[in-house]
Amino acid sequence: MASLQSWLEIDPKSQFSLHNLPFGIISTAEDPQLHPAIAIGDYALDLHVFTRHNGFAALSIFQPYQAVFLSQSTLNHFAALGRPMHKVVRGYLQSVLLKDGPFPGVFQENESLRSAALIPLQRCQMHLPMRINDYTDFYAGLHHAYNVGVLFRGPDNALQPNYTHLPVGYHGRASSIVVSGTPIRRPNGQIFTDPTTKTPALAPCRKLDMELELGCFVCKPSALGQPIAISDAQEHLFGFVLLNDWSARDIQAWEYVPLGPFNSKNFGTTISPWVVLMDALEPFATTGIDNKVKPLPYLDEKGKETHFDINLTTTLTTASGKSTTICRTNAKNLLFSFPQMLAHHTVGGCPFNVGDLLGSGTISGKEKSAKGCLLEQSENGKVSIRLEDGEERTFLQDGDTVMINGVSGSEGSFVGFGNCSGRIEAALDLEYD
């Protein structure tokens, strides 16, 4: 892929190259009102300012009433315009930022607009990009599902009989989804503090974990009772974020029978602030893990490339400030794609709304270094993980910071997500009479 050159100076190592232009919601000390922006190099291009100064005047197809959607406090209204309009707007913004592009007078030669609309990222406060009404987390990482199954059921019964036939998922909690950088408090819950008894106690989680995932936002609603066809599912998807599904493994072990995760998963889910649009990832489209089971027709993509080649890493930083990369994997390590997740989710008639979020489930590779959560890496606490500062971990301790990063492409044309990070705070001291 030939590298696009901007008149704006951009570090070749930046994840926010001209090939990317992810959308997010920012505020600044000077303008505390939440509004949209795109990331370009070390800057945020303030789309509220750009719109107010008639930056879209040269894009005749983008009507003024539509441009107003880029001054809202979330991206929901813009997302609802649909993928064809997303492509047009993103392409236009690329063209006004392009060196020797067709619209030099819009931005490059407009010094007052440049100084007002280009804001250093370090001055921006990031916010949740979408208003999220619903959130479903899937379990589509085959290697993760197998590794966890081996821990609890042995290799012969690691995968449940349904696993390769449908995307397994559970309904998450939208109210506890937070933007990167938000602290995560260690949850209290029912756990077995004394393994010799059969009675649980209310106590802080002792097996606090993270999960490396991708999230995908919905941009096109569906009606109650109306399934989304697999052939149409991609048109319902807005873009991707990184996602950390924080997990309390000891709370989960006690509560998940017979209905699945509840309090072990609802205390916090972190997402990255920039939404990488589907069109930005299209050059990296590929296939996922080969499913030996032929899917039912409503899930059959007929070989279409709907997964993406995204390199993913997880870094753990202790209170000492020393960081250790504890996982390197790739988004190709999913058995089911997001279009398949959406098609399955709606096959019974479940409706979707703009801004609904889907999580992939933990994305682990085959290698030991590619395991996407500490449950796998520590074999449920049996094996310690040695960190760069000499400390060891089986699960997360208070003061630990977990950061997920993801990037596609090569130097000069990287398409990345920025960081998805959260720091663990101590549990509340609960006292009951």
Side-chain angles (χ1 to χ4, degrees):
M1 181 171 63
S3 179
L4 298 175
Q5 299 297 317
S6 174
W7 50 262
L8 181 67
E9 187 175 345
I10 300 173
D11 187 332
K13 293 183 172 58
S14 172
Q15 294 188 13
F16 303 135
S17 73
L18 193 53
H19 293 264
N20 192 356
L21 302 191
F23 286 67
I25 296 294
I26 67 167
S27 65
T28 63
E30 296 79 14
D31 186 359
Q33 194 169 25
L34 276 59
H35 52 280
I38 57 169
I40 177 69
D42 293 329
Y43 295 91
L45 170 51
D46 188 323
L47 294 177
H48 173 58
V49 173
F50 189 77
T51 301
R52 198 173 65 222
H53 286 75
N54 298 316
F56 287 103
L59 185 62
S60 58
I61 193 174
F62 196 46
Q63 298 297 315
Y65 80 91
Q66 296 172 319
V68 169
F69 295 156
L70 290 175
S71 295
Q72 305 293 313
S73 60
T74 72
L75 293 172
N76 290 60
H77 287 91
F78 173 68
L81 293 176
R83 284 194 58 183
M85 187 58 78
H86 306 158
K87 184 173 185 177
V88 167
V89 171
R90 177 175 165 273
Y92 174 74
L93 291 170
Q94 279 183 319
S95 69
V96 300
L97 288 162
L98 185 66
K99 184 179 181 181
D100 300 323
F103 305 111
V106 171
F107 200 31
Q108 183 180 357
E109 298 173 359
N110 190 334
E111 185 176 348
S112 62
L113 179 55
R114 289 203 316 270
S115 62
L118 283 174
I119 305 169
L121 286 173
Q122 61 188 14
R123 286 174 43 200
C124 296
Q125 176 70 41
M126 302 305 302
H127 304 272
L128 285 176
M130 305 283 282
R131 183 180 65 254
I132 307 168
N133 296 311
D134 260 313
Y135 161 51
T136 299
D137 196 30
F138 285 88
Y139 197 49
L142 173 63
H143 302 306
H144 169 71
Y146 177 79
N147 292 338
V148 172
V150 168
L151 288 175
F152 296 104
R153 294 183 297 275
D156 294 336
N157 299 297
L159 298 179
Q160 300 287 6
N162 67 346
Y163 186 79
T164 55
H165 292 268
L166 55 83
V168 175
Y170 74 92
H171 192 264
R173 184 70 183 173
S175 64
S176 53
I177 297 174
V178 296
V179 74
S180 177
T182 305
I184 298 296
R185 187 176 295 281
R186 182 180 299 272
N188 286 286
Q190 287 195 18
I191 64 172
F192 287 97
T193 56
D194 183 351
T196 64
T197 71
K198 295 184 178 181
T199 303
L202 179 65
C205 166
R206 297 181 178 184
K207 292 184 175 182
L208 185 55
D209 202 357
M210 52 71 57
E211 292 189 331
L212 186 164
E213 303 191 24
L214 280 178
C216 189
F217 282 110
V218 170
C219 65
K220 184 177 180 180
S222 60
L224 177 67
Q226 185 62 51
I228 296 174
I230 189 67
S231 58
D232 297 331
Q234 282 187 295
E235 292 303 308
H236 288 255
L237 302 178
F238 179 47
F240 284 93
V241 290
L242 303 174
L243 187 150
N244 185 346
D245 183 33
W246 304 94
S247 301
R249 299 302 188 186
D250 41 6
I251 298 174
Q252 183 177 2
W254 174 236
E255 74 177 6
Y256 85 102
V257 178
L259 293 180
F262 185 46
N263 284 337
S264 60
K265 296 279 192 173
N266 68 12
F267 61 94
T269 301
T270 302
I271 64 172
S272 54
W274 296 105
V275 182
V276 177
L277 299 195
M278 304 299 292
D279 290 310
L281 288 170
E282 199 58 41
F284 313 105
T286 184
T287 55
I289 296 174
D290 183 37
N291 194 343
K292 305 302 182 184
V293 174
K294 182 175 175 57
L296 293 177
Y298 80 98
L299 289 175
D300 191 354
E301 296 184 294
K302 303 184 186 303
K304 194 172 183 180
E305 294 183 336
T306 55
H307 294 73
F308 296 97
D309 182 3
I310 307 170
N311 293 312
L312 300 164
T313 59
T314 303
T315 302
L316 194 159
T317 303
T318 65
S320 71
K322 293 291 183 72
S323 300
T324 305
T325 299
I326 60 173
C327 175
R328 297 182 187 275
T329 184
N330 191 285
K332 294 184 290 187
N333 288 308
L334 292 173
L335 186 64
F336 292 100
S337 69
F338 280 95
Q340 287 176 310
M341 295 176 208
L342 190 60
H344 179 65
H345 204 317
T346 64
V347 72
C350 173
F352 267 78
N353 295 303
V354 175
D356 286 354
L357 179 64
L358 304 175
S360 64
T362 304
I363 306 175
S364 296
K366 287 184 177 180
E367 303 82 9
K368 183 177 180 181
S369 61
K371 293 180 177 180
C373 69
L374 295 177
L375 176 68
E376 293 177 77
Q377 293 193 24
S378 72
E379 298 179 14
N380 196 21
K382 296 177 183 177
V383 179
S384 293
I385 303 157
R386 189 168 182 83
L387 305 178
E388 293 290 340
D389 61 1
E391 293 192 41
E392 296 184 350
R393 291 289 185 276
T394 52
F395 292 97
L396 297 172
Q397 294 185 10
D398 295 345
D400 286 348
T401 296
V402 175
M403 180 179 293
I404 298 173
N405 206 283
V407 66
S408 297
S410 56
E411 189 170 303
S413 58
F414 282 134
V415 173
F417 296 79
N419 296 325
C420 176
S421 67
R423 181 180 180 275
I424 303 302
E425 294 188 339
L428 292 176
D429 186 8
L430 301 181
E431 294 184 6
Y432 296 96
D433 294 333

